[in-house]
Amino acid sequence: MENFKKIVPLNSFEQNEKMVWYCLEHHEIGRFKQLVQSNMPLTADMLTTLVFFDYFKDTIKEVLTLVTKYTVPVIDWMRAYFTVEELADVLPYYQDKLPDDWPTDNECLELKLWETLCRRHKFDLVAQNAPEFLEKEGEWMTYSDVCVALLKQNFAKYAPMMMEQKRFSCLLALRNGWKYLIDNGMAIKILEMKDACGLLPNDEIIDYCLQKQLYEELYLVGCDDKLLENKKFDLFVKHHSLDNKFLTEYPEEVDWEDLWKYYKYDAKSRKKLLEKAKQNKKVPKCYEFLINHLGLWGQFCLFI
């Protein structure tokens, strides 16, 4: 049998079709089945021969489930001779070659032709009706569209999986996927993306981080104005900030002496501190700071 499988494919289509004609004419259907199981490519001509010799449709369908190789016209032949309903048990064997327009998507759904639907990129349909197929057939999980479709159907189940696999873009594809990422330690990454060219609601993201009290993360990505607006002055003090707005508009919140010590070896920063303090010399903390660190002439100029 092994040698038979090796030599049959060496025949030309014409030779194979002659053998099949002989088998079918002499009612050797068993031999024909043996041939198609031995790597002989099935052709549309062979199927027509079955019809010519009055073989039943069930016999033809059985042959179609036994083939290991076939020519492309076989699909067209099936489409012309059978209804989709009649091919319910046959079409699963041909999913990798079915055309985009036959069977219809709804018919594929009824017949559970999940691979065909995936090849048409109808991932939402498959995710709705057979998510286990997408999970089991690992190759499809490499497609971002598949992951997004699964997330749409069951976010609670698949979001942790996407997080573990670092499929962050899939989570971001959903309306509030960024919230899940922020809730799972990705706040800085999301904030650094800004609005991602209009794909992310940056203002909404910042407000959400404020609600979650992620002040440190907001500071580290430069959301100074929003933090000052929400009176989170302790962050600026903690990080020895020289933010212009902080020094100029909130001088009473600045620890001027601490900054002076911190920038002991940074003349440029110390000069900035003196300049900003002068802008608010009427604020007691600024006045006291200037008195401590200006020379006599500088002190005199405060009163001019």
Side-chain angles (χ1 to χ4, degrees):
M1 178 63 73
E2 186 62 34
N3 289 335
F4 193 54
K5 287 184 176 181
K6 291 179 179 179
I7 63 175
V8 168
L10 299 177
N11 292 343
S12 66
F13 287 128
E14 291 77 10
Q15 288 173 314
N16 288 333
E17 287 167 349
K18 285 179 182 179
M19 282 197 301
V20 171
W21 181 279
Y22 178 87
C23 291
L24 298 180
E25 184 180 21
H26 293 83
H27 307 291
E28 294 281 353
I29 187 64
R31 181 59 61 86
F32 178 41
K33 292 177 182 178
Q34 183 184 17
L35 285 169
V36 297
Q37 287 179 293
S38 300
N39 297 331
M40 181 191 74
L42 181 69
T43 67
D45 180 84
M46 295 173 188
L47 293 169
T48 301
T49 302
L50 280 163
V51 176
F52 180 78
F53 284 115
D54 294 324
Y55 284 88
F56 294 124
K57 282 189 172 182
D58 284 346
T59 301
I60 299 174
K61 288 192 290 183
E62 183 184 1
V63 169
L64 287 167
T65 63
L66 296 175
V67 300
T68 56
K69 293 183 179 181
Y70 60 92
T71 60
V72 175
V74 166
I75 301 289
D76 293 330
W77 192 96
M78 287 193 292
R79 183 175 184 176
Y81 187 69
F82 291 107
T83 64
V84 171
E85 291 76 13
E86 290 175 318
L87 292 170
D89 296 328
V90 175
L91 290 177
Y93 293 88
Y94 295 83
Q95 291 197 68
D96 60 333
K97 292 293 192 299
L98 293 177
D100 290 342
D101 64 338
W102 182 82
T104 65
D105 289 346
N106 285 335
E107 289 171 332
C108 287
L109 191 59
E110 292 174 9
L111 298 178
K112 299 182 179 181
L113 301 178
W114 310 126
E115 184 179 343
T116 297
L117 287 170
C118 282
R119 292 189 180 283
R120 296 176 184 178
H121 286 223
K122 299 303 174 67
F123 300 125
D124 285 335
L125 269 179
V126 181
Q128 290 169 22
N129 297 278
E132 66 283 351
F133 171 83
L134 296 173
E135 290 185 60
K136 182 180 177 182
E137 300 295 328
E139 69 166 290
W140 294 113
M141 291 294 287
T142 62
Y143 286 72
S144 294
D145 289 348
V146 169
C147 296
V148 171
L150 288 171
L151 285 166
K152 287 178 182 176
Q153 293 307 308
N154 193 336
F155 189 87
K157 177 180 179 181
Y158 294 106
M161 184 189 301
M162 297 302 113
M163 194 72 188
E164 183 180 349
Q165 297 175 2
K166 301 187 186 303
R167 306 292 294 275
F168 306 135
S169 61
C170 297
L171 288 161
L172 286 174
L174 273 70
R175 173 65 182 86
N176 289 320
W178 54 266
K179 286 186 178 180
Y180 182 84
L181 290 169
I182 289 175
D183 292 342
N184 285 273
M186 297 284 291
I188 289 180
K189 291 289 185 183
I190 300 302
L191 288 164
E192 285 178 339
M193 294 175 70
K194 303 300 182 182
D195 68 346
C197 298
L199 298 177
L200 292 176
N202 191 48
D203 290 341
E204 192 176 339
I205 288 171
I206 292 175
D207 289 339
Y208 185 73
C209 288
L210 285 169
Q211 292 172 25
K212 303 292 287 188
Q213 299 184 5
L214 300 175
Y215 307 132
E216 187 74 19
E217 288 82 350
L218 286 164
Y219 181 86
L220 291 175
V221 297
C223 294
D224 296 350
D225 288 351
K226 203 70 175 181
L227 288 168
L228 290 172
E229 181 183 319
N230 285 269
K231 305 186 186 307
K232 304 302 174 185
F233 307 120
D234 55 324
L235 282 164
F236 295 82
V237 174
K238 172 186 173 182
H239 289 281
H240 303 95
S241 174
L242 292 177
D243 179 79
N244 287 329
K245 189 171 184 178
F246 177 52
L247 297 178
T248 304
E249 298 184 20
Y250 305 95
E252 68 282 357
E253 305 294 340
V254 179
D255 189 335
W256 296 93
E257 290 298 336
D258 179 64
L259 288 173
W260 186 260
K261 293 176 183 177
Y262 185 79
Y263 292 105
K264 180 178 180 180
Y265 301 107
D266 187 342
K268 185 177 180 180
S269 294
R270 280 192 161 189
K271 181 180 179 182
K272 179 176 181 178
L273 285 171
L274 291 172
E275 290 174 351
K276 295 300 179 182
K278 286 178 183 177
Q279 293 177 19
N280 290 283
K281 62 184 181 181
K282 293 182 179 180
V283 175
K285 287 182 68 173
C286 293
Y287 180 81
E288 182 179 350
F289 170 72
L290 291 169
I291 289 297
N292 290 337
H293 299 289
L294 286 177
L296 289 175
W297 177 249
Q299 295 176 17
F300 174 75
C301 290
L302 289 177
F303 301 96
I304 297 177

